[in-house]
Structure formats: C-alpha cells, structure tokens
Amino acid sequence: MKYRYSDQEEIDLSVLHIRKRRRLDGTIGIQGSKNAVLPVMAASLLHRGITVLSHVPAIEDVFCMMEILEWLGCSCRLEEHCLTIDASGASMLPVPDTMAGRMRSSIMLLGPMLGRFGEAKTSRPGGCPIGKRPIGLHLAALKKMGVRVRTEGEHISASVLKLTGARIHLDYPSVGATENIIMAAAAAEGVTVLTGAAREPEIEILCRFLASAGADISGTGSDRLMIRGGRTLHDTAFAIPGDRIVAGTYLGALLCAGGQVLLREAPAEHMAECIRTARAAGAFVEVRPDGLFASIKGRPEAFSLVTGPYPGFPTDLQSVMLAAASVADGESLIQENVFENRFCAAKELQKLGAHIIINGRMARVTGRSSLCGGRVQAEDLRGGAALAAAGLAADGPVRICGYGHIRRGYEDICRDLQDAGAEIWLEEQTEDAGCDREEEADGASGSRGSSAAAGNCGPVHEDYNHYGDGQ
Ligand code: UD1
C-alpha cells in the first residue's frame, strides 16, 4: 500500500512477515534483470520508433523509468512482462525532480537525451543509503564529446550542438558512466573509443540491444569499446536476460535457510564469483540446462569475499552474504570495495542477533546457529532483500518494514520464496508500523550486536569517491 507523505516521495508501508525458520525446497523462476532493462529502456529514446522488450520485470524502478519516458512523450505499454516503447513522439522536457529523485538510475537518461535532443535537463542522483553516487566520470566523458554542462544546486543542464566521437578513458570502471558514454556515442558523429570501461554483463546486454537496433559497437564484453556513431536505428525486439543479482539473492537465501532450490533461467555464466563463494560456504551448486541448482545440508561454513567491479564479487550481493555469514559455522570476512556505506543492513541484522563487527571496509561476522525473531527496517533495496533472507534463518517471527525499497528491484519476493516453501507474506499497511524505533528483538535473549558495531554503519570511507562530483 502506497502512502504519499510529501510532494516528493511515495513510500510503501507494507510489511513483510516471515513466520519462522524453514528449509527451502522448490523452484524459483528468475525475473528479467533490473540493471539491464533500465539502460535499455533509456536507450530506446535514441530511436524514433518502436522498441519491444520481453522478460521485463514488473518492478518499481521499471515503472518509474516508464513514467519518465512517458513524460518525455514516449508511449509505453507493459503487458505480461512485454514492454512496448514508442519513442517517435518524444521531445525534450526537463525531467522533474520528483521523478529523477525516485530512481538513482535516472542519470542514465543523460546520454540518450543528449543523443536524441542535443539537450538534457535532470537532477543529480544525490546521496543515498549505500553511498554518495557522484557523477563526475559521466560529466567529464560527455564534455569530451562536446557537451556543455551547467550545474545549479541539484540541477544539471547539458547541451551540445553536435555530439562528436572521442577517445575516453575511465579511471574507474563506473557502470553508469560506461552506459551513458555508450548511448551518447551511438548517436555521435564519428568514432568513440572507450577504454577502462566497466565490464558488467548488463553493459554487454546494452551493447547487444543497441547492435540489434542497428548500432555499430565492437569490443562488447571487454574494457575497450569502439562505437561508430551516427547509424540510424530501427525498430527492434529484444529479450532481457535473467537477473544475476536476484538469482544470487536467492542463492544467499538458500545458504541462510538450508535445503535445495532450482533457480530457473538464472544467468549462471555471469555468476562465477557468486557460485564460487556459495561453494566455499559448503553448497553444492550445479549449472543445469534449465537453470542453477543448489543445495546445502545444515549451516554454511565460514567464507571470505571481497566485492569489486565485474568479474569481482558483486557489491549488490554483499548484504545477503552478510546475512548468510551470520549463520555460518565460524568467522567470515567480508570486504566492501565499491560503495562506502553498503554495510547498512548490518545494523538491522544485529537486531536479529547477528554478530557483526564493522571496521572501515571490513565486516567480521561470527556465525551462530540461528538468528532470532524481531522487527527490522529495510533501508535500501539489496539490504532489504538480505533481511528477508536472514528471516529464513530466524527461530521466531520476523517483520520487515520498508518494503518499498525491496519492490524497486524484486517483482514479488514473497511469491518467489513461497515457491521454494518459505512461510513469507506481505501485509499491506496504511499506517506506519513504527519500525524505525529501536526495539528489542522478539526473543533476542540479550544477543544483539554491540551498539558500537552498529554505530559504525555510517559513511566510513571518503576514498570510494575519487572521481567525485566534477562539474
Ligand atoms: C550500478 C548498478 C548498481 C551496482 C553498481 C556497482 C544499475 C542501475 N546500478 O550503479 O546496482 O551496485 O553499478 O556494480 O546498474 N563513482 C565515482 N564517480 C562517478 C561514478 C561512480 O566516484 O562518476 C564511484 C561510486 O561512488 C561507487 C563506484 O564508483 O563508489 C561504483 O559506481 P558505479 O559503477 O557508477 O555504479 P552505478 O552505475 O551507480
């Protein structure tokens, strides 16, 4: 249930309930990838015609991107995971703060808007619970292509007489900057050579989509891309692959709960680090023709992981592995190298009895045989999903507020986990359940993490953002 509490934002006050610990056993169909579909939707703006996307997840971020595209004059229809975008009537309008602010990835419209209209007006993604999200790399690259950028407070105005291909090197492989550059370069005159590009699978998917619409891109999948711009794009139909982060979340949930699952259509070829870590934690994981099968008997073993740009361990799965480590046998070490504030789920996991000590980039987790019930607050998308996974390892009932964060990226986490036998359901609520109040965890028996450790959850490292907010 949505509740509008200001002109700026709507929040979803529904509460997730998990009854108690139960082993998973079943098959979960993996939805289409959020991080792939969003840039592909943005790129559809480059074509004055029709784009048809299949296997599109019905998630809040997709609805938000549809709303922005419609605001810009596109017509969008989403039916049974098939999204048709007609961008023939699009025209330049400033993206309102209320829309841009709802979704950090709205910044990825910068490249396509410049490519289509020669102009873009939107606002900075701003800070968010997982980190600052600067955009200096995006802006510096676009300037190399002839774009003039003006920023006033949170607002960004960019314009260009003629987008021109350029040689661009990224000092850090930013996913969003790579995507913005590719989309602008596809519309630019001349050749763009991009080195130091991010190699996340979603970038390869964006390149494949653009190529299917007529763009000329080589080096796809590598950190050196060459885009010959200015090709006229044509109507295209494209299938969005399965979401490796959602599949990894459910693998993490399996580590928490025990049992077995088949993750149908999980993109195993893009999950190597995640699979390696699950195996190190004692799971049996097998790639099968219909998906990824995984099983684990008893508790996971302690494990270590270090997040990093692809092909490193995805930062988006760090929170769920923090949950898994909380019930592992021994001490696990988890190092976060991508976002400065991505240990935020730790504070809520501690309310369920997890022993987590955070020191800078490092979390030291001493596993216990089970967690306890309690009431916790999802504060970001992946952290929220991690709490649901942790709930599967709790002896008592768990309530998770802040479901609005989770539905940004998970189409129906209850349906998915129920398909694997979990007792989880959503209670629609119109009034604030008061989750942000500090509460003793139900049945916690004095086992909460130390407040000192919880207090360490604020921004810990400024040095994640070297490529800061260049103007
Ligand atoms: C994308 C993903 C997000 C994922 C992240 C890293 C989407 C919609 N989102 O986010 O789920 O967690 O990649 O895999 O695909 N940085 C700078 N300056 C910049 C840009 C980034 O310093 O101009 C820093 C960021 O602060 C962060 C790091 O680089 O510390 C990674 O950011 P980036 O790769 O850009 O992530 P996003 O594209 O925002």
Side-chain angles (χ1 to χ4, degrees), residues 41-61:
M41 287 173 74
S44 72
L45 203 53
L46 291 170
H47 167 48
R48 294 166 196 272
I50 294 173
T51 299
V52 180
L53 305 174
S54 53
H55 202 217
V56 171
I59 51 174
E60 197 57 29
D61 275 11

Side-chain angles (χ1 to χ4, degrees), residues 16 18 253 383-393 398 400 406 413 417 424:
L16 270 184
I18 299 157
L387 294 175
L392 301 175
V398 171
I400 305 168
I406 298 173
I413 200 168
L417 290 171
I424 176 170

Side-chain angles (χ1 to χ4, degrees), residues 35 133-137 172 174-176 316 338-339 342 465 467:
N35 288 357
R133 317 296 286 259
I135 52 166
L137 291 171
Y172 181 89
S174 156
V175 175
D316 287 2
V338 182
F339 287 107
R342 217 168 197 171
N465 304 301
Y467 321 97

